[in-house]
Amino acid sequence: MTGCVDFVAFGVIIDDIVYPDGETKMGVLGGGGPQTAFGMRLWSKNVGLVAGIGGDLSSMVESWLRSSEIDAAGLRISEHQTPRAWQLLEYDERRTQVWRVPERVIALQLEKSMGYLPE
């Protein structure tokens, strides 16, 4: 982290959203980590995000984190892909998630560990 943080959220998933009418939104920053970090910002100015990401992560993510004032020093780039999933939304409000990366990548990139926290 670039400074002292009060709260830390873990994990990044890139969502490809398919709406019931067939409209799509690809490459949306998702997962519990960013959503939690954004919520934490309501209570603290010192929030960090820790996650395994790949070189495939869009610069849009860095821009979102910067504009949301989330400390991204805990993002670690690995040789694996960034976790990515289809989010299929239905008219009856059901959502089906379909992973777009191998299971081992999900486990590696979403693993939570105190060892991943920057000093």
Side-chain angles (χ1 to χ4, degrees):
M1 309 276 153
T2 56
C4 181
V5 298
D6 296 322
F7 300 101
V8 176
F10 287 86
V12 165
I13 298 172
I14 300 303
D15 291 327
D16 295 321
I17 303 170
V18 180
Y19 294 94
D21 64 0
E23 179 186 347
T24 61
K25 235 183 219 178
M26 309 305 262
V28 176
L29 178 61
Q35 293 171 11
T36 302
F38 185 69
M40 288 173 176
R41 283 284 294 128
L42 296 172
W43 304 105
S44 174
K45 292 186 181 226
N46 302 311
V47 174
L49 181 61
V50 176
I53 59 172
D56 59 337
L57 191 68
S58 166
S59 61
M60 169 275 306
V61 170
E62 291 177 44
S63 175
W64 180 88
L65 294 172
R66 194 171 28 261
S67 69
S68 299
E69 298 180 8
I70 304 295
D71 190 321
L75 297 182
R76 63 186 190 289
I77 299 174
S78 76
E79 69 277 5
H80 304 290
Q81 299 165 277
T82 302
R84 190 173 193 125
W86 285 103
Q87 302 299 330
L88 307 171
L89 308 178
E90 300 184 41
Y91 284 112
D92 63 3
E93 299 183 10
R94 286 187 296 165
R95 177 181 63 93
T96 303
Q97 178 171 288
V98 179
W99 286 107
R100 306 285 296 157
V101 295
E103 197 171 313
R104 67 178 175 73
V105 170
I106 298 163
L108 290 168
Q109 297 290 58
L110 295 181
E111 178 184 28
K112 295 177 181 98
S113 169
M114 294 297 283
Y116 292 143
L117 295 174
E119 288 190 33

